Amino acid sequence: MQSQQIDLPRYLSVLPLFGDLRTDELVRLAEGCQLRRMPRGDMVCRMGQPCEEFHVVVVGQVKLFAISPDGHEKVIELVGPGNSFGEALMFSGRAYVVNVQTLSDSLLLVVSKAAVLAEVARDPRFAMRLLTNLSRRMQSLINDVQSDALHSGMQRVIGYLLRESESQAPQVFTLSLPASKATIASRLSLTPEYFSRVLHELEAAGLIVIDKREVRILDAARLARYPAT
């Protein structure tokens, strides 16, 4: 599918990063963008590849990961709809330091470096939005590093479940795990076996109910306090 046949300004307008741009700004930025449809399992980019663009996930999900010297995969980040990756590397002129692969059939918006730099030169507000987005991502990664260093595996799993359910108001609700248990375990620096063991312990404690990728939180407040209660 050719990007010229798609209403790119409309796609841009519903993404948080570009939502408050004027119509003329969206049209101008769209000239340096394209939409890329990728099936599950496709490589978006590989470590060492030049980074001359950044990506926004419109539909689907991708994982950023590295391979250790002994061949084990370490998931660095999971990126879902409305979120982006690659901005920092694009601005620094560095090559990709991670691999990126789709976890499901995905639609990615590819924004060229030239288009971004041109819009930054025209409107400082756009630069501020990019900086805000980068700062939020950096803080999230710092929080993850702190969690890995200071929290037990149990605390990491509970924290992950509660973060995934932040938009939910009730104490009882169901969330869908956005990736396989093995992928999420790697994201939390845990083995798949330990991750599954923690989930089953939480289920045995009457805090959650597991049905494949569906996790029903039975009492968010108790879950947050576990195992202190």
Side-chain angles (χ1 to χ4, degrees), residues 33-168:
C33 301
Q34 61 176 309
L35 284 169
R36 184 177 301 164
R37 298 185 186 276
M38 305 188 72
R40 176 184 178 183
D42 261 21
M43 296 298 297
V44 181
C45 51
R46 298 179 185 274
M47 185 180 299
Q49 176 183 328
C51 183
E52 293 297 326
E53 58 199 16
F54 78 92
H55 297 75
V56 183
V57 179
V58 180
V59 176
Q61 188 175 58
V62 304
K63 65 176 177 179
L64 281 59
F65 70 99
I67 302 296
S68 66
D70 59 1
H72 288 91
E73 177 181 295
K74 166 56 182 170
V75 177
I76 308 299
E77 190 174 7
L78 300 174
V79 183
N83 295 305
S84 58
F85 60 92
E87 305 97 314
L89 290 173
M90 181 190 73
F91 282 117
S92 69
R94 298 177 60 195
Y96 280 100
V97 295
V98 295
N99 303 294
V100 184
Q101 184 179 33
T102 57
L103 290 173
S104 61
D105 293 346
S106 299
L107 178 63
L108 305 180
L109 177 70
V110 185
V111 187
S112 73
K113 181 177 182 179
V116 172
L117 292 179
E119 199 56 40
V120 166
R122 289 189 184 98
D123 186 357
R125 294 176 305 148
F126 186 69
M128 289 303 300
R129 278 191 293 275
L130 289 174
L131 286 172
T132 299
N133 192 53
L134 286 171
S135 297
R136 184 172 61 248
R137 292 270 307 285
M138 179 176 292
Q139 186 58 53
S140 177
L141 290 173
I142 290 173
N143 291 342
D144 289 338
V145 171
Q146 290 177 330
S147 177
D148 288 351
L150 302 176
H151 295 159
S152 68
M154 174 67 74
Q155 290 171 323
R156 274 179 263 165
V157 174
I158 291 173
Y160 174 80
L161 293 175
L162 293 176
R163 283 198 304 275
E164 285 296 301
S165 59
E166 279 180 349
S167 62
Q168 303 277 359

Side-chain angles (χ1 to χ4, degrees), residues 181-197:
K181 291 177 182 176
T183 298
I184 295 172
S186 178
R187 176 70 183 81
L188 298 175
S189 298
L190 303 171
T191 65
E193 295 78 13
Y194 183 84
F195 181 66
S196 292
R197 191 160 65 248

